[in-house]
Amino acid sequence: MRKRTIPRWRAEATPLLGLCGASLVMALLMTVAMLGLVFSYGLGLFWQKRIVHFQLRDGSRWLGEVWSRETVQDPTTGRPVRRIALHHGNRDLWGTAFRWIDEADVVRQEYPPDAVRIERLAWGPAFGQPRRVWAGDRPLIDPVDVRDPVWQELFASVHQDRRVLQDVEGQIDAVNDRLERVRRRELRLRHRSVSDPSAWAALQAEKARWEGVYGILALRRAALMERLQQYVLEVAIADGTALRIPLAQIVTVIPANRMSLGERIRLYAQRYWALITENPREANTEGGIFPAIFGTVSMVLIMSLAVVPVGVMTALYLREYARQSWLTRVIRIAVNNLAAVPSIVYGVFGMGFFIYTIGTAIDQTFYPWMAPTPVFGTGGLLWASLTLALLTVPVVIVATEEALLAIQPEIRHGARALGATQWQTVRHVILPAATPGVLTGLILAIARATGEVAPLMLTGVVKLAPDLPIDDRFPFIHLERKFMHLGFHIYDVGFQSPNVDAAQPMVYNTTLLLLVIVVVLNLTAIHLRNRVRRLYHQGAL
Amino acid sequence: MQRGDAQDRALPRPLTPDHQHPIPKPSSVGVMTVHSARSSVTVPLGEVVPAAVEPTPMRVSEERYVLTPIPDPVFDIQHLSLYYGEKPALIDISFQIPRHQITAVIGPSGCGKSSFLRCLNRLNDLIDGSHIEGRVLLDGQDIYAPSMDVNELRRRVTLVFQKPNPFPKSIYDNVAFGPRIMGIRQRAVLDEIVERSLRQAALWDEVKDRLHASALQLSGGQQQRLCIARALAVDPEVLLMDEPCSALDPIATGKIEDLMVSLKENYTIVLVTHNMQQAGRVSDYTAFFYMGYLIEYQRTTDLFTHPRVRQTEDYITGRFG
Ligand SMILES: Nc1ncnc2c1ncn2[C@@H]1O[C@H](COP(=O)(O)OP(=O)(O)OP(=O)(O)O)[C@@H](O)[C@H]1O
Ligand SMILES: [Mg+2]
């Protein structure tokens, strides 16, 4: 008789094991599929493709980047048709930036070496072949080659001017801020029933002074604008007609068909860098998403500052102080179930409680002269953060309670047996031992809060907030300001924008960045927890 | 002088099925204790739960012997009963603990020794659902009186736990914990207290080079000695030690025993031990607990040489328990 050995996996195979394995594989597959989608699109969309020129059977010509290719059924003949989605830009001319082209219609296809993609401040990218540069009504560089130092010199100096212009605009902003403050003080003075002519006069003098400054700055701006507007780049678009683009409007000119691999990689990195450091343009479909990143992170930080003390104190009370009874059990169950309340409900609650009740009360008490303009009585960073804190506090409570439960009663009693009061025991023994558990709760809370959108829409997120909640103007932290958020940005750009196709890179990359931020915040918290744990085991806490 | 003659010793009556449940329900506990210079006998009275409800081979002797009075008692325990919920863990304990002596508490596992120690500094207050009856007088003052400052009491009467329970802090911080919460902040004073306490607990030489390492890195026996040092650091009047040597080797055990004997001059020590030899070696008085009852309390030499109660004799000669 021959001895047969059964492989270990078959010897141990049971239906349950199979099910467990299958579930694991399912979970992994779903995660990998989602991440794969986000990464492949998000990372791919910034790669500069070559610019292609199509001549179609009907004589029309198109210049642009091939976005995607697909095969569809012709509705009349039922035969498969291969077609191309072409990103031809120039939305100012044609109203759209994309079109479908049947591959069968293409008569000629070529890659003109001098074709460029021009990123503009408005109207999205333009595609064309540069012809000449005008200074006013006389040609300055003719013909122009964007790799030519002369062009590059001119473009750099225009850029310089534009930076100066931006600077001036920043100063104008600051003056406007001053004027707004003066206006508020006026309102405040007027609100007081006693009249104070000297203060009023002082205010008027200050106002006049700032208005004078404003006038000077406005003149400078006008002069700069005029100078910038005089240089115009003329490009031939696909059908050969001329398109004139003021240099002041141009962000970059990319000679996509003459780039080396290194240049493409650099461009890719630059685009990514711009994405995370710049302000949005073009209804958020272009430019960067820095304000949204900033808003998301500051919201999560403020939420953490609120949720940890409240959650820890609640858990401490429930575990260390309250007598365990049916009441604490009911509270515990209620807290656990709070985690299942739909987040929009929290949004409604936050709006009703924080904004309309507390915010309005603050306005009535501290800013009565601003009426009817709300200060805190409207959505803002503080209220959104507090709403999210409310949403995540059950997580922190549960995690802290678990940590407290894991501390052996002997340790607690050991401190009490030496005459320590309840508070001394909590402060010096219980809390240090529970800190890693608290941080675990915080990690979970951050993960949940970063991805939450619905409650924010009711409590302070907007699609475009030009002013960051933290800046260089007194009092530096403006918790009442509205803010931008990555999650809302995805919804807004992906589903509310007039130009959904053009927004695609933005949507995928915003998602990617949101994931990255969640991971970074979590890693920070995990690092902190490990540090605390190490300190704790070294007895240094 | 307090030794009874052989005929003084009441022989256990043959047990009837009625007496098979040793611990009656609290409501049914009616106990009569007769204290005298020679002997005291406690007889449980009243209704007794039938054997069918809870068959158990263990029986509590109806004989009791409690030596009383004791000269200069620190603790005077009067009719102390302790309940965890409805369940009694100690039943009508009455005896006195002498000052500046070592009193050993012996008895089989689960007889209530640890519970008893916790009664002496009100640590049972921390256990939800526990309550006591009777009185515990510390220097004539009822420690369960509402006017008692419990934290102050626990500083005066400190407990070293059965399981080593160092705080997850450094060795130094463990020992300095008590002084610190008493408000001592000066580094020099703390250093001095830490060194003295660790020396007393026979741990100094082993840890003097790593005072700021975590206490959790110490071995079980070292942790136990650290806990003793931690208790000594608050300079208590009474030291309650719950099996302090259970995790120690003979050498460390010897050191702790020496420590106890030397501490006797200034401290009162109540020692729970499973080790008869240890009780015999170090203690002056010994109390034998059985299933929540105090069966016998005598001078140690008498208890071990001439136990008055049959059950005590059975226990110390190893016939049961
Ligand atoms: N916290 C508690 N809650 C409920 N019952 C308890 C509690 N602590 C002890 N008991 C019960 O009280 C009785 C006495 O326990 P105790 O710990 O005092 O025994 P012990 O004599 O110290 O035993 P050992 O020698 O094993 O340490 C036991 O029956 C135990 O189950
Ligand atoms: Mg015990």
Side-chain angles (χ1 to χ4, degrees), chain A residues 71-81 102:
Chain A
T71 308
V72 290
Q73 292 234 315
D74 189 305
T76 44
T77 60
R79 275 180 306 157
V81 178
D102 278 354

Side-chain angles (χ1 to χ4, degrees), chain A residues 264-290:
Chain A
R264 267 176 225 275
I265 291 173
R266 245 201 35 219
L267 179 64
Y268 182 83
Q270 275 168 359
R271 281 176 173 172
Y272 234 99
W273 183 243
L275 178 76
I276 56 182
T277 55
E278 280 179 10
N279 282 333
R281 282 186 276 120
E282 282 292 282
N284 293 349
T285 56
E286 284 186 32
I289 50 174
F290 176 70

Side-chain angles (χ1 to χ4, degrees), chain A residues 124-152:
Chain A
F127 292 97
Q129 286 147 296
R131 289 288 176 252
R132 56 191 65 84
V133 177
W134 296 84
D137 47 9
R138 65 193 165 82
L140 185 67
I141 310 170
D142 186 15
V144 66
D145 177 353
V146 295
R147 312 215 96 181
D148 191 4
V150 180
W151 154 261
Q152 284 171 357

Side-chain angles (χ1 to χ4, degrees), chain A residues 322-324 410-422 424-425 428-429 432-433 536-541, chain B residues 123 126-129 151 154-155 158-159 161 163 165-170 173 177 181 212-214 217 230-231 234:
Chain A
R323 219 186 157 72
Q324 302 303 311
E410 284 82 20
I411 301 275
R412 249 175 272 262
H413 292 179
R416 301 305 298 277
L418 295 170
T421 61
Q422 173 85 5
Q424 286 168 328
T425 309
H428 297 291
V429 180
Y536 177 73
H537 282 296
Q538 285 165 0
L541 218 63
Chain B
L123 263 191
L126 304 180
I127 296 172
D128 273 349
N151 295 316
R154 292 185 186 138
R155 226 166 279 150
T158 307
L159 174 65
F161 287 67
K163 261 203 279 182
N165 59 343
F167 303 134
K169 295 170 178 290
S170 71
D173 289 341
F177 182 86
I181 60 169
H212 295 281
S214 170
Q217 293 167 1
R230 191 172 69 183
V234 299

Side-chain angles (χ1 to χ4, degrees), chain B residues 109-110 112-115 118 162 242-243 272 274:
Chain B
S109 189
K113 304 182 293 295
S114 301
S115 303
R118 285 201 299 267
Q162 185 167 4
D242 200 345
E243 291 184 51
V272 167
H274 278 292

Side-chain angles (χ1 to χ4, degrees), chain B:
Chain B
M1 52 166 188
Q2 267 121 2
R3 266 186 45 205
D5 301 320
Q7 58 263 50
D8 268 11
R9 240 198 276 160
L11 288 167
R13 285 183 307 182
L15 282 155
T16 60
D18 272 356
H19 288 102
Q20 287 203 343
H21 191 266
I23 305 174
K25 284 226 216 83
S27 58
S28 67
V29 178
V31 189
M32 185 184 74
T33 314
V34 188
H35 290 279
S36 78
R38 293 179 65 87
S39 73
S40 83
V41 177
T42 306
V43 189
L45 303 170
E47 158 205 350
V48 173
V49 180
V53 175
E54 199 169 55
T56 159
M58 288 185 271
R59 292 152 194 142
V60 179
S61 151
E62 289 181 15
E63 287 177 81
R64 304 289 148 79
Y65 182 89
V66 175
L67 178 66
T68 182
I70 299 291
D72 192 15
V74 173
F75 274 112
D76 187 359
I77 297 128
Q78 301 176 352
H79 304 288
L80 174 70
S81 299
L82 169 73
Y83 300 92
Y84 292 121
E86 292 288 290
K87 188 171 153 277
L90 295 172
I91 299 129
D92 197 47
I93 308 285
S94 293
F95 71 109
Q96 296 170 337
I97 294 173
R99 189 183 309 278
H100 295 178
Q101 302 275 316
I102 299 176
T103 304
V105 177
I106 59 171
S109 189
C111 69
K113 304 182 293 295
S114 301
S115 303
F116 172 70
L117 287 195
R118 285 201 299 267
C119 286
L120 298 185
N121 69 352
R122 293 189 55 176
L123 263 191
N124 279 325
D125 292 11
L126 304 180
I127 296 172
D128 273 349
S130 74
H131 75 276
I132 68 139
E133 286 165 10
R135 301 206 301 166
V136 179
L137 304 184
L138 172 63
D139 291 330
Q141 211 187 347
D142 185 358
I143 66 169
Y144 283 90
S147 60
M148 192 75 204
D149 178 347
V150 183
N151 295 316
E152 174 66 25
L153 166 74
R154 292 185 186 138
R155 226 166 279 150
R156 288 169 63 192
V157 183
T158 307
L159 174 65
V160 177
F161 287 67
Q162 185 167 4
K163 261 203 279 182
N165 59 343
F167 303 134
K169 295 170 178 290
S170 71
I171 295 170
Y172 185 97
D173 289 341
N174 261 278
V175 184
F177 182 86
R180 275 189 179 136
I181 60 169
M182 284 158 70
I184 299 177
R185 287 274 173 276
Q186 302 96 308
R187 191 76 198 185
V189 181
L190 286 176
D191 286 350
E192 201 264 10
I193 294 178
V194 168
E195 176 169 354
R196 176 173 49 78
S197 310
L198 285 172
R199 277 192 195 283
Q200 282 182 325
L203 189 60
W204 175 253
D205 291 331
E206 287 159 68
V207 300
K208 62 172 182 256
D209 301 323
R210 46 171 175 151
L211 287 177
H212 295 281
S214 170
L216 300 180
Q217 293 167 1
L218 296 178
S219 75
Q222 287 172 328
Q223 289 186 2
Q224 185 66 281
R225 279 176 284 156
L226 180 67
C227 292
I228 295 174
R230 191 172 69 183
L232 291 173
V234 299
D235 198 22
E237 295 165 27
V238 182
L239 201 53
L240 310 173
M241 299 178 120
D242 200 345
E243 291 184 51
C245 301
S246 56
L248 300 187
D249 64 76
I251 295 171
T253 302
K255 283 184 188 164
I256 296 296
E257 287 177 6
D258 292 346
L259 166 72
M260 287 191 276
V261 173
S262 67
L263 288 177
K264 221 164 78 165
E265 256 179 63
N266 301 309
Y267 300 87
T268 303
I269 296 175
V270 184
L271 166 74
V272 167
T273 181
H274 278 292
N275 182 332
M276 293 321 149
Q277 283 84 10
Q278 183 173 57
R281 275 197 302 269
V282 298
S283 71
D284 304 289
Y285 289 81
T286 298
F288 170 55
F289 279 55
Y290 188 67
M291 305 203 72
Y293 291 91
L294 174 63
I295 304 296
E296 182 161 352
Y297 178 57
Q298 279 217 68
R299 285 187 162 280
T300 300
T301 42
D302 297 337
L303 188 126
F304 280 106
T305 50
H306 303 285
R308 302 275 182 126
V309 182
R310 177 67 181 279
Q311 200 154 30
T312 313
E313 188 178 345
D314 289 348
Y315 182 70
I316 60 180
T317 53
R319 240 167 283 165
F320 75 95

Side-chain angles (χ1 to χ4, degrees), chain A residues 107-181:
Chain A
V107 183
R108 238 175 61 170
Q109 170 182 346
E110 60 189 1
Y111 298 94
D114 60 343
V116 294
R117 173 186 168 126
I118 301 172
E119 306 279 2
R120 301 181 287 183
L121 289 180
W123 294 113
F127 292 97
Q129 286 147 296
R131 289 288 176 252
R132 56 191 65 84
V133 177
W134 296 84
D137 47 9
R138 65 193 165 82
L140 185 67
I141 310 170
D142 186 15
V144 66
D145 177 353
V146 295
R147 312 215 96 181
D148 191 4
V150 180
W151 154 261
Q152 284 171 357
E153 193 74 21
L154 177 69
F155 189 63
S157 86
V158 167
H159 248 248
Q160 192 84 46
D161 280 356
R162 209 166 67 201
R163 224 165 290 137
V164 175
L165 180 67
Q166 272 169 5
D167 201 44
V168 170
E169 273 170 349
Q171 288 174 32
I172 287 177
D173 247 23
V175 169
N176 275 334
D177 186 61
R178 290 287 174 177
L179 282 168
E180 170 65 17
R181 273 160 207 261

